[in-house]
Amino acid sequence: AYQFRMRQLQRKFKQLQDVIDIIPTMAWTALSDGSNAFLNRRWAEYTGLSAEDTAGSGWTAAVHPENRERYLDRWHAFLAAGEPFEFELRFRCAENGEYRWFLARGVPLRNEHGKVVRWYGILTDIEDRKRAEESLRESETRFRTLVDHVADAIFVYDFEQGTIVDVNPQACEGLGYTRQELVGTTALDFHPDFDRAAMESVAERAAAGEAVIDTHWHRRKDGTVFPVEAHTSLFWHGGRR
């Protein structure tokens, strides 16, 4: 009976491994000490490494050198904690020698006594997401550089909240406030000739797509006032206007 049960378990394990082997996502299992136990066919196809190459910690040969040491440090910490984990790192593609970013996820399997006996995980390709994030960072850097160096004062408002979320140095210099003092305030705090109805009217016209141009007064921190010509336009950022 024992041998029959073992054969059944072996057959089920083989069936499960066959399924894992053919899925289009890289999947892996590791022993409780972190050494590699199994990497599926998709892994072998992507990295060009055989089962013999990846035995123990041999799989780390496919990890980008800049990520390898930090990942291993974190991996050992995950092993000690015995908790599910996520980590981003790059793996080399055997076909072209290029590295792509992957999100590694792993979960521990525990026995009836709560002891970790094996780890299971997948590797998800996030290269396109990382490139999009880098492109966005570069775009924001260029925008920040432009905003900080133009001669005009720039105020960025959150239309939904009605508050200032960013200003450039020229705005701070003109009003005599620091950026920290201006962020979170409203136009009413330094517009002596403005009321809430006027502010809401400008917001509504800009929200409708109009480039609003008007003249009014600004009040500096020291109480003095000066005339300005304000240009207000709508733009979306992070799903907000």
Side-chain angles (χ1 to χ4, degrees), residues 36-149:
N36 172 48
F38 170 76
L39 288 159
N40 71 345
R41 187 182 307 168
R42 176 61 184 138
W43 160 273
E45 292 171 348
Y46 180 83
T47 64
L49 298 176
S50 67
E52 291 75 19
D53 294 330
T54 57
S57 60
W59 61 273
T60 60
V63 179
H64 195 291
E66 293 179 3
N67 301 139
R68 190 177 301 147
E69 184 175 350
R70 183 165 180 265
Y71 176 75
L72 288 175
D73 288 343
R74 293 290 301 278
W75 175 224
H76 292 142
F78 292 136
L79 290 174
E83 298 294 335
F85 74 90
E86 291 186 355
F87 193 87
E88 295 179 0
L89 69 167
R90 288 165 288 180
F91 286 96
R92 185 182 63 247
C93 175
E95 184 177 351
N96 54 28
E98 296 180 354
Y99 287 88
R100 292 181 67 86
W101 280 99
F102 286 81
L103 175 63
R105 290 190 177 101
V107 294
L109 174 68
R110 299 178 183 275
N111 61 19
E112 64 274 17
H113 303 296
K115 181 180 179 180
V116 175
V117 294
R118 192 166 288 244
W119 288 81
Y120 291 88
I122 60 172
L123 300 169
T124 304
D125 190 323
I126 58 170
E127 178 68 22
D128 292 342
R129 191 200 80 190
K130 296 289 284 189
R131 289 184 180 182
E133 290 174 350
E134 180 61 28
S135 178
L136 178 61
R137 280 193 295 269
E138 291 177 356
S139 177
E140 289 179 341
T141 298
R142 288 193 296 269
F143 174 76
R144 181 81 256 175
T145 300
L146 174 64
V147 166
D148 284 349
H149 288 83

